[in-house]
């Protein structure tokens, strides 16, 4: 069965960096585009970034462009999100999700708290 | 920039029909997808490509579109349907992905 397991969340000070990981299993990882979607506490869903299946295309939401970098290692079935220059407003649960333009499968999320 | 607009809340009694709308200028040109999210859980896909229902999703969930508005219809609402519902769309290259603000469905 398809599984997506995020890790790497935690408490970090504003301006610092954090890297999230999402390990995939149960499907051929290299066949699928992968996204990061976040949800601030008590708020709605916000798209963060996408990387195509072959790693040759990536796109970002406006609020993270220039600060976050999505990457993947198809040999390790792992998706990453490098988050730099973190802000208080980046506090959220970060989900990885499988799909090109919609998401059939989601991980359970990892919580990132940006606070001094 | 594009936006997707949903009503913040919808309330219905058990057995009634709930309709949740999602509007946006992008919608006539792109598919819309719907997710259900219950407290403490990740979102779950319930409708994709406007009208398709993934396996395991009850038939009481259906989608439709008219112009710049798409609608999620939940027939014969059950208590277990109480959740937040989000619409989502994207361009074909996923260069941008949009979510609606979400609608909280309350079953009275």
């Amino acid at each position: 069965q398809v599984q997506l397991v995020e890790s790497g969340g935690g408490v970090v000070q504003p301006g610092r960096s954090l890297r999230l990981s999402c390990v995939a299993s149960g499907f051929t990882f290299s066949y699928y585009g992968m996204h990061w979607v976040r949800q601030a506490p008590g708020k709605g869903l916000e798209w963060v970034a996408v990387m195509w299946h072959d790693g040759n295309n990536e796109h970002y939401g406006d609020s993270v462009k220039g600060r976050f970098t999505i990457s993947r290692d198809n040999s390790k079935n792992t998706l990453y999100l490098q988050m730099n220059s973190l802000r208080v407003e980046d506090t959220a649960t970060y989900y990885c999700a499988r799909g090109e333009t919609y998401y059939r499968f989601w991980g359970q999320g990892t919580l990132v708290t940006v606070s001094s | 920039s594009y936006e997707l607009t949903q009503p913040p809340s919808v309330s219905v009694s058990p057995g009634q029909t709930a309709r949740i709308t999602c509007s946006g200028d992008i919608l006539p040109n792109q598919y819309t997808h719907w997710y259900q999210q219950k407290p403490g859980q990740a979102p779950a896909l319930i409708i994709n490509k406007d009208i398709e229902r993934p396996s395991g999703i009850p038939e009481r969930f259906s989608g439709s579109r008219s112009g710049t508005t798409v609608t999620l219809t939940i027939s014969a609402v059950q208590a277990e349907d109480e959740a937040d519902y989000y619409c989502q769309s994207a361009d074909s290259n996923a260069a941008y992905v949009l979510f609606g603000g979400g609608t909280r469905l309350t079953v009275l």
Side-chain angles (χ1 to χ4, degrees), chain B residues 11-85:
Chain B
S11 300
V12 295
S13 299
Q16 291 189 326
T17 296
R19 294 180 178 85
I20 299 172
T21 58
C22 174
S23 61
D25 292 338
I26 189 180
L27 296 183
N29 303 311
Q30 304 296 344
Y31 286 122
T32 304
H33 321 287
W34 290 93
Y35 303 87
Q36 177 192 67
Q37 186 179 33
K38 296 183 178 180
Q41 297 183 14
L45 180 70
I46 55 173
I47 296 289
N48 60 273
K49 296 183 180 179
D50 295 348
I51 61 173
E52 297 180 3
R53 202 171 40 249
S55 60
I57 302 302
E59 291 184 6
R60 65 179 183 275
F61 291 92
S62 64
S64 61
R65 70 154 57 234
S66 177
T68 59
T69 299
V70 295
T71 301
L72 171 69
T73 300
I74 311 172
S75 305
V77 166
Q78 302 180 6
E80 67 194 48
D81 299 331
E82 189 162 278
D84 293 328
Y85 292 85

